[in-house]
Amino acid sequence: MMSGVFISVEGGDGTGKSTQIKVLAEKLRHVGKKVLTTREPGGSSGAEIIRKLLVTGDKDRWSSVTEALLVFAARRDHLEKTILPAMADAKIVITDRFADSSTAYQGIAGGAGEEMIAGLRKLVVGNHEPDLTLILDAPVADGLARADVSKGEGRFEDKGEAFHQSVRDAYLKIAKENLKRCVVIDATGDVEAVAERIEAAIRERLPQLL
Ligand code: TYD
């Protein structure tokens, strides 16, 4: 029995996901909710090992198809070890990226194809899809300027502006095709302004939370 709530936060590199997740988690804790924040690639000890393979090294180290296989292996471990146990414990799980990242980065921008990702998604995620997906949208140049590559994790940032424009377009397509699950959040402006937009989306889509 899953009684928690599952929220994913998506968007291009440097759109401010991690900052906004911190703010949202704090608001939810303030009203007495149990919250677990996590991230992909990673979020469990096995998945963090796979993350290292994905985000370091030369930008052409892996093909998009291989990336997809790695990231879905990591996702399965993340689901089994972190997300599903927290849901069973009635927590609100907020993850920085989930399967839409694979559709955007590997399927569409990387060229592995949406069908391949959809197949893996069905196999690996099944019915454990997020209740709500917030897609943070901002111009690509802003995001790349803001992306933190200081930890040697710049492999995706190195793929260039055209790749990241394609990622942004891909997210907008995903949002249009999944209107019940996804909300696009304008991620331009200061942290407080974006946080207010997210709060409004939560109040509308998951009014039991805030
Ligand atoms: P992340 O740590 O969220 O980076 P950022 O904070 O810069 O957005 O993710 C690292 C990279 O992994 C990011 O460039 C996107 C990529 N990624 C994929 O390509 N596919 C996936 O399925 C996931 C989860 C991430």
Side-chain angles (χ1 to χ4, degrees), residues 161-179:
E161 191 147 342
F163 179 89
H164 289 279
Q165 187 57 52
S166 170
V167 167
R168 184 186 187 191
D169 297 343
Y171 273 123
L172 297 176
K173 177 174 188 277
I174 291 165
K176 250 194 214 148
E177 290 171 354
N178 297 277
L179 292 172

Side-chain angles (χ1 to χ4, degrees), residues 9 24 34 41 50 64 143-144 177 200:
V9 181
L24 176 60
K34 289 194 291 184
I50 299 174
S64 294
L144 289 180
E177 290 171 354

Side-chain angles (χ1 to χ4, degrees), residues 9-18 39-42 51 54-55 67-68 70-72 74-75 95-107 117 143-144 146-149 151 153-159 163-164 167 171:
V9 181
E10 295 277 0
D13 294 65
T15 47
K17 294 182 281 39
S18 57
R39 69 156 180 189
E40 289 200 352
R51 175 191 177 91
L54 276 160
V55 300
E67 276 173 10
L70 284 168
V71 93
F72 270 102
R75 181 161 298 129
T95 182
D96 187 335
R97 298 192 181 281
F98 195 63
D100 295 319
S101 285
S102 307
T103 304
Y105 283 77
Q106 282 70 49
I117 305 302
L144 289 180
R146 215 153 56 171
D148 177 12
V149 294
K151 289 167 290 183
E153 292 194 341
R155 192 176 155 257
F156 282 92
E157 284 81 357
D158 290 346
K159 289 182 186 256
F163 179 89
H164 289 279
V167 167
Y171 273 123

Side-chain angles (χ1 to χ4, degrees), residues 195-209:
E196 276 172 22
R197 291 174 203 136
I198 289 175
E199 186 175 329
I202 298 283
R203 285 187 195 283
E204 193 194 320
R205 297 294 188 105
L206 297 169
Q208 73 275 25
L209 296 194

Side-chain angles (χ1 to χ4, degrees), residues 37-207:
T37 62
T38 183
R39 69 156 180 189
E40 289 200 352
S44 62
S45 56
E48 289 289 335
I49 293 169
I50 299 174
R51 175 191 177 91
K52 278 235 158 55
L53 296 174
L54 276 160
V55 300
T56 62
D58 186 82
K59 66 177 171 34
D60 297 321
R61 180 181 190 183
W62 311 109
S63 72
S64 294
V65 171
T66 312
E67 276 173 10
L69 294 169
L70 284 168
V71 93
F72 270 102
R75 181 161 298 129
R76 184 66 205 184
D77 197 60
H78 185 212
L79 264 171
E80 287 178 7
K81 305 277 174 51
T82 303
I83 297 172
L84 297 180
M87 297 279 288
D89 195 25
K91 290 194 173 109
I92 300 169
V93 177
I94 309 175
T95 182
D96 187 335
R97 298 192 181 281
F98 195 63
D100 295 319
S101 285
S102 307
T103 304
Y105 283 77
Q106 282 70 49
I108 298 177
E114 286 178 82
E115 235 167 79
M116 185 212 176
I117 305 302
L120 287 171
R121 185 168 187 152
K122 208 169 160 200
L123 197 73
V124 170
V125 177
N127 61 356
H128 305 302
E129 287 286 348
D131 298 297
L132 176 69
T133 297
L134 302 167
I135 296 179
L136 272 54
D137 179 63
V140 169
D142 299 10
L144 289 180
R146 215 153 56 171
D148 177 12
V149 294
S150 61
K151 289 167 290 183
E153 292 194 341
R155 192 176 155 257
F156 282 92
E157 284 81 357
D158 290 346
K159 289 182 186 256
E161 191 147 342
F163 179 89
H164 289 279
Q165 187 57 52
S166 170
V167 167
R168 184 186 187 191
D169 297 343
Y171 273 123
L172 297 176
K173 177 174 188 277
I174 291 165
K176 250 194 214 148
E177 290 171 354
N178 297 277
L179 292 172
K180 264 190 76 176
R181 177 172 61 82
C182 298
V183 186
V184 176
I185 304 288
D186 173 2
T188 62
D190 59 29
V191 170
E192 189 51 41
V194 179
E196 276 172 22
R197 291 174 203 136
I198 289 175
E199 186 175 329
I202 298 283
R203 285 187 195 283
E204 193 194 320
R205 297 294 188 105
L206 297 169

